[in-house]
Amino acid sequence: SPVVNVPVLSNIITSAFDYFDYAVEAVALGVDEYILKPVREDTLVEAIHKVIHVIEEKRESISRETQLKEKFELVIPILENGFINSLCMMEDNTEEIEYYKKLFEYEDVGGYVMVIEFGEKEEGRITNKIGASVRNQKLYSSYRDILKALCNCVIGPLMLNRIIVYIFDDEMSNEYDQKVAADRIARSFLKRAKPFYSDIYIGIGSYFNNLNHARQSYHEALQ
């Protein structure tokens, strides 16, 4: 795999002071080699080779970490889609929910479901759902970015003209604060998303302190 070209610093100190305390302090400051003067050529060359080896190892380590992070970021939306499907769509979802709890470390985390729907409304009904779906496919990543910036959440795929979002919220002390926080997130999303697509409607379900009750919150959000 290619090595990421990142600046990795290393230090060699040459000194005429043969004091142990100086050497200890140099190591504490991140110095790789402490060489006493007068410096022999072979000693300096050996120190430089050691430092080059350390730098190459650091670069390879950073490269591996970067690649793993990039791969994980590509997988996250797929895992989140599965989580939302298990949470809101499946009747018998206990086993799947337990799996995702462990995977995302969402043990004992409360929250609520928000449903975002796109389309033109006529006589109280949303129409042109297919057209809204086609138009918003290209905007889906922008909607994800907005939501991730606003709250800690798991975002489902664009299913026809809807996006289902589970918002985690463990800090609200009462129902009123929870409603205010949910309303603020919804309004903030509308404000940021309106320039992309104007016909957006949002439903918010009740807060639950257990993920296993999220299905009810989902149905409330739909209503």
Side-chain angles (χ1 to χ4, degrees), residues 71-81 104 144 148:
K71 288 179 180 178
F72 187 65
E73 287 176 350
L74 290 174
V75 170
I76 283 177
I78 299 172
L79 295 175
E80 290 188 348
N81 291 351
F104 287 117
R144 278 186 63 89
K148 290 292 185 181

Side-chain angles (χ1 to χ4, degrees), residues 109-128:
V109 177
Y112 54 92
V113 173
M114 178 180 289
V115 174
I116 302 170
E117 195 161 21
F118 307 91
E120 301 167 8
K121 184 171 278 191
E122 293 181 7
E123 298 180 356
R125 297 179 59 188
I126 292 178
T127 61
N128 194 21

Side-chain angles (χ1 to χ4, degrees), residues 7-161:
V8 179
L9 302 179
S10 195
N11 300 286
I12 298 175
I13 286 183
T14 60
S15 174
F17 294 99
D18 186 13
Y19 294 128
F20 178 74
D21 289 345
Y22 285 178
V24 170
E25 184 177 354
V27 171
L29 292 173
V31 172
D32 294 284
E33 294 289 335
Y34 188 89
I35 304 174
L36 291 174
K37 294 179 180 179
V39 182
R40 292 173 49 189
E41 182 179 347
D42 58 344
T43 302
L44 181 59
V45 170
E46 182 182 356
I48 291 172
H49 281 303
K50 285 182 180 179
V51 167
I52 290 173
H53 180 68
V54 169
I55 290 173
E56 289 176 346
E57 285 189 334
K58 288 180 180 178
R59 282 181 174 165
E60 288 177 359
S61 176
I62 292 171
S63 176
R64 286 193 296 270
E65 290 176 4
T66 302
Q67 289 174 11
L68 285 173
K69 184 178 179 182
E70 289 174 349
K71 288 179 180 178
F72 187 65
E73 287 176 350
L74 290 174
V75 170
I76 283 177
I78 299 172
L79 295 175
E80 290 188 348
N81 291 351
F83 176 82
I84 290 295
N85 287 332
S86 297
L87 203 66
C88 303
M89 303 300 178
M90 297 177 63
E91 292 289 345
D92 184 14
N93 61 2
T94 304
E95 186 176 343
E96 285 78 10
I97 291 300
E98 290 301 322
Y99 168 76
Y100 284 110
K101 277 184 180 180
K102 294 176 182 178
L103 181 65
F104 287 117
E105 298 181 347
Y106 290 151
E107 307 282 346
D108 302 320
V109 177
Y112 54 92
V113 173
M114 178 180 289
V115 174
I116 302 170
E117 195 161 21
F118 307 91
E120 301 167 8
K121 184 171 278 191
E122 293 181 7
E123 298 180 356
R125 297 179 59 188
I126 292 178
T127 61
N128 194 21
K129 295 182 179 181
I130 295 176
S133 175
V134 172
R135 287 180 60 188
N136 282 289
Q137 285 290 346
K138 295 180 180 180
L139 298 170
Y140 175 74
S141 60
S142 298
Y143 296 145
R144 278 186 63 89
D145 291 343
I146 293 171
L147 288 164
K148 290 292 185 181
L150 289 173
C151 57
N152 178 23
C153 61
V154 174
I155 306 167
L158 179 65
M159 294 184 286
L160 190 55
N161 67 323

Side-chain angles (χ1 to χ4, degrees), residues 139-193:
L139 298 170
Y140 175 74
S141 60
S142 298
Y143 296 145
R144 278 186 63 89
D145 291 343
I146 293 171
L147 288 164
K148 290 292 185 181
L150 289 173
C151 57
N152 178 23
C153 61
V154 174
I155 306 167
L158 179 65
M159 294 184 286
L160 190 55
N161 67 323
R162 288 177 183 159
I163 297 175
I164 301 169
V165 186
Y166 192 96
I167 299 176
F168 295 94
D169 192 345
D170 238 11
E171 299 178 358
M172 296 298 138
S173 57
N174 58 66
E175 185 178 356
Y176 175 77
D177 289 342
Q178 291 158 5
K179 288 182 177 180
V180 169
D183 184 73
R184 182 173 63 249
I185 291 171
R187 291 180 185 278
S188 296
F189 176 82
L190 285 173
K191 183 178 179 180
R192 299 187 189 188

